[in-house]
Amino acid sequence: MGYAAPEDAFWRFTMRVSMNDAVMDVRFDGAQADGEDWTLLSPASPDVLPEELSGMWAEMNTPDNPDDAGNGRRLSVGSGGGLFFSPETALMIAGDVQLASGGGYTFRPDLDPDSDEADAMAEHLNGEIALANSGHVERIRIFAPASFKPNPAARIHEFEMVMDFQSVEGLPAPVMTSMSTVVDVSALFQRQQQNVRFDFSDVEYVEP
């Protein structure tokens, strides 16, 4: 039940970004010019944003390179389909799909089919799918059941990515309502932890 949005379609939505203990609320309007399509709702000024969110906000307001293949009117977080559960999203379900004992399905994940580094990481990850009563994918969870070393110089102590989808009346496919990642990694004698969550609301989709 995925959907490939056409190039001339655009989105409007509100997004809450939570990064560790910092939060900002923004509004996206794909009908506006690239670089002018994001509005900061909270806090009142970007000057009070913490460093990690300040960098994200600056990137949101930087126009795409004209040579990039992406379309500035569309959201990259959901791959090619914006917020839709798209064919690109489905590619993360690489195979070995089996019925889980508690309901839903398990699968072999692939975070990026075009990346050899992602392939090396994928062998340490598990995937879970939950389905809504209507049959569409309601949640995708990709996680590491145990710590592992993707290369000799690093160890990932914890990894989890969760995407939630919901059917919205009038839209041709389920849309993403939230996406979160938890990463705890040691590399070069330093340990870094990052929790990031995106929550989407007031979603509008316009297709000419």
Side-chain angles (χ1 to χ4, degrees), residues 5-20:
E7 291 293 336
D8 54 355
F10 66 89
W11 298 84
R12 295 187 181 98
F13 55 83
T14 299
M15 180 172 73
R16 167 161 287 191
V17 184
S18 307
M19 184 176 292
N20 298 332

Side-chain angles (χ1 to χ4, degrees), residues 1-2 85 129-139 164-168 173-175:
M1 296 182 67
F85 182 86
I129 302 170
L131 299 182
N133 292 334
S134 61
H136 74 77
V137 172
E138 189 172 53
R139 168 171 287 198
D164 290 307
F165 298 87
Q166 182 178 335
S167 291
V168 176
V175 296

Side-chain angles (χ1 to χ4, degrees), residues 35-56:
E36 301 177 2
D37 40 10
W38 292 96
T39 301
L40 182 64
L41 303 178
S42 177
S45 170
D47 297 336
V48 299
L49 287 171
E51 182 177 354
E52 56 268 42
L53 290 181
S54 178
M56 185 182 296

Side-chain angles (χ1 to χ4, degrees), residues 62-77:
T62 302
D64 292 339
N65 187 323
D67 295 330
D68 289 345
N71 186 323
R73 289 184 145 198
R74 293 168 63 185
L75 181 68
S76 61
V77 71

